[in-house]
Amino acid sequence: MPQSVDDRSAFSSIDDVASRFAEAGYITDRRLATTIYLVTRLNKPVLLEGPAGVGKTELAKTLATVTGRRLLRLQCYEGQDETRALYEWDYGKQLLYTQMLREKINDIIADAPDIPAAVARIEGHGAVFFSDHFLVARPLLDAIRGEQPAVLLIDEVDRADEALEAVFLECLGEYQVSVPEIGTYTAKTPPFVVLTSNNTRDLSAALKRRCLHLFLDYPDAERELAIVRSKRTGLPEAAARQLVEVVRGLRELPLRKSPSISETIDWARTLTVLGVDELDAGVLADTLNIVLKYERDMQRAVEVLPRLVDPNRELPGAGHSHEHGSDVHAHDHGGDQGHQHEHAGNNGRDVRAAMDRPGRHDEGYYGAPGPGPTRRTEPGQGQGSRSFAALIRRRPG
Ligand SMILES: Nc1ncnc2c1ncn2[C@@H]1O[C@H](COP(=O)(O)OP(=O)(O)OP(=O)(O)O)[C@@H](O)[C@H]1O
Ligand SMILES: [Mg+2]
């Protein structure tokens, strides 16, 4: 495999990764820093999976920043074909050139006795129009052919069709791209490749095998606090700490959309703007729309906010939160929605359609608990992986 001779992007150690990322405003933990270190040392792509807003995309951007590499981003979507990912021919330019070269072309075919002879003559010159000059490089080819080393971000790879996934495989295995009309391009300096997935469909075993795998979960309290701190939101330390605990408490609720890290940051900034130094349930309830995006989620959250702000507080009905949670959960599965649930998950398109369907409030969403009674647990690590596991468990076959 080609290795760069003078690549300034190398990290000297795992600690070096952690400190350079922290300087750029991205807070890692040991596992994350180790994985990044290995990505850069083994020249292996990394597949990042996990709930929304845990820093998957940001990780790739930060990797580009701290290594001084250019960031090439391929945003995947359904129905995307390889011309958007690899390369395409610049038809407009080809046409323009044939117009401009009309006289020359006329010269070439001037003494051809008939049409087959004229076509044969033009064919002899056709390669000119399928050369590097008329090739439009899309991110995959650009990452491999470009002179400058790159970080290639293949974002939300689970949204791409399987046919395109096969193209990724081919390209990432050898860091090569073949253009039949021209030949094979091989990377001088292999790009650092980051793939992200929200797990709306299973990725092929072949793709997973070629990648280092990292599940990015919601961070633990200390790291989330460090992230909030690093964003200089202006919220006093004690309030920020309390806010992080409240958000972690919200993530334990059966919500349609759990608050992500970016929402914790937004909430902290909002409270600062409002001049809040000490948290109380009232001000949090008034600003809850910063972190929760569905009315029903807000209603659920408002009920438990007083207890989340002050865990020692005795509330009428407090201590029944888990019964309440499972109640809500059960309602959500009633009738038609339960039915839809059974059918969702046959393929990525179904899962996505189910996730986009308004009014669905079940464990198909990250941050919502799996099937069965909901039990209030202390917010801890693994909040995202539980809901992630629930999503996987529901898959047929
Ligand atoms: N470890 C971190 N350090 C600093 N900021 C972070 C970290 N993780 C997440 N963030 C913040 O959270 C925001 C959201 O992260 P990002 O967009 O990367 O999430 P994502 O996992 O790609 O989500 P999605 O699946 O919705 O695309 C970032 O812009 C960044 O401000
Ligand atoms: Mg993202």
Side-chain angles (χ1 to χ4, degrees):
M1 181 162 300
Q3 281 286 350
S4 137
V5 194
D6 178 28
D7 188 1
R8 290 183 298 114
S9 57
F11 293 105
S12 59
S13 64
I14 296 169
D15 288 339
D16 185 35
V17 174
S19 69
R20 279 161 71 181
F21 266 65
E23 266 169 44
Y26 192 98
I27 313 298
T28 55
D29 57 16
R30 188 75 186 169
R31 206 167 53 99
L32 190 50
T34 306
T35 308
I36 297 164
Y37 182 67
L38 292 176
V39 167
T40 62
R41 297 307 288 257
L42 300 176
N43 277 325
K44 237 172 151 21
V46 60
L47 171 63
L48 303 175
E49 292 191 274
V54 290
K56 301 185 293 296
T57 302
E58 192 69 17
L59 186 149
K61 290 182 180 172
T62 309
L63 181 59
T65 306
V66 303
T67 56
R69 290 185 167 212
R70 42 192 198 121
L71 178 74
L72 298 171
R73 180 174 182 168
L74 179 68
Q75 183 68 45
C76 299
Y77 55 87
E78 232 170 87
Q80 189 176 28
D81 65 14
E82 61 179 65
T83 60
R84 294 278 139 191
L86 268 179
Y87 67 88
E88 63 185 322
W89 294 107
D90 190 339
Y91 292 119
K93 195 168 167 186
Q94 285 169 329
L95 204 63
L96 181 71
Y97 274 60
T98 47
Q99 297 288 336
M100 286 165 41
L101 295 170
R102 199 170 2 195
E103 276 180 26
K104 271 268 172 263
I105 293 169
N106 283 342
D107 289 350
I108 293 170
I109 58 173
D111 59 347
D114 53 22
I115 291 183
V119 169
R121 294 222 182 141
I122 292 176
E123 225 165 50
H125 295 82
V128 171
F129 290 97
F130 289 94
S131 63
D132 218 43
H133 194 69
F134 294 97
L135 195 64
V136 183
R138 300 296 180 200
L140 290 187
L141 178 59
D142 195 1
I144 281 168
R145 187 182 70 158
E147 285 298 316
Q148 301 298 320
V151 171
L152 172 64
L153 166 61
I154 303 180
D155 215 5
E156 304 186 359
V157 63
D158 51 325
R159 298 205 168 240
D161 299 328
E162 279 161 30
L164 191 57
E165 199 182 310
V167 172
F168 297 154
L169 270 181
E170 212 180 296
C171 161
L172 299 180
E174 303 290 324
Y175 295 112
Q176 281 186 347
V177 171
S178 291
V179 180
E181 295 86 345
I182 298 179
T184 299
Y185 293 99
T186 305
K188 280 188 201 144
T189 306
F192 298 149
V193 183
V194 178
L195 301 106
T196 79
S197 165
N198 286 81
N199 207 43
T200 59
R201 74 166 171 85
D202 255 339
L203 300 171
S204 72
L207 185 73
K208 288 187 170 171
R209 205 172 52 240
R210 276 169 182 76
C211 297
L212 298 170
H213 184 261
L214 182 67
F215 182 83
L216 269 189
D217 205 347
Y218 295 116
D220 62 27
E222 282 311 314
R223 188 156 74 94
E224 189 152 9
L225 186 60
I227 293 171
V228 172
R229 242 185 248 131
S230 77
K231 303 292 173 192
R232 300 200 167 79
T233 62
L235 195 66
E237 174 73 15
R241 187 172 285 278
Q242 214 180 353
L243 187 71
V244 164
E245 287 305 334
V246 170
V247 172
R248 292 168 61 74
L250 292 179
R251 286 183 193 139
E252 292 291 317
L253 299 177
L255 301 179
R256 179 172 176 181
K257 167 74 179 70
S258 276
S260 66
I261 299 175
S262 46
E263 276 135 3
T264 313
I265 298 164
D266 286 347
W267 212 0
R269 289 199 176 117
T270 304
L271 294 169
T272 305
V273 167
L274 297 178
V276 175
D277 287 338
E278 279 177 40
L279 303 195
D280 64 63
V283 72
L284 292 182
D286 288 345
T287 51
L288 206 50
N289 58 341
I290 301 293
V291 281
L292 298 179
K293 309 297 173 185
Y294 295 94
E295 189 55 31
R296 262 206 267 176
D297 285 358
M298 300 239 269
Q299 286 165 10
R300 275 172 205 168
V302 164
E303 288 171 30
V304 298
L305 268 180
R307 188 169 43 78
L308 291 180
V309 177
D310 178 6
N312 300 322
R313 180 188 167 123
E314 279 301 322
L315 287 174
H320 295 291
S321 60
H322 60 281
E323 284 93 345
H324 174 77
S326 52
D327 261 5
V328 172
H329 198 62
H331 289 314
D332 282 349
H333 283 277
D336 195 24
Q337 286 189 355
H339 182 70
Q340 289 164 352
H341 164 112
E342 279 170 28
H343 290 277
N346 289 337
N347 59 39
R349 191 185 299 251
D350 289 349
V351 175
R352 283 192 287 280
M355 289 172 102
D356 291 342
R357 189 175 296 133
R360 275 192 48 89
H361 290 244
D362 73 4
E363 72 276 11
Y365 295 93
Y366 287 118
T374 321
R375 199 162 55 81
R376 171 92 178 97
T377 52
E378 279 312 303
Q381 254 191 311
Q383 295 189 330
S385 53
R386 273 195 296 280
S387 40
F388 201 78
L391 187 65
I392 293 165
R393 263 204 307 280
R394 286 200 344 276
R395 285 219 178 89

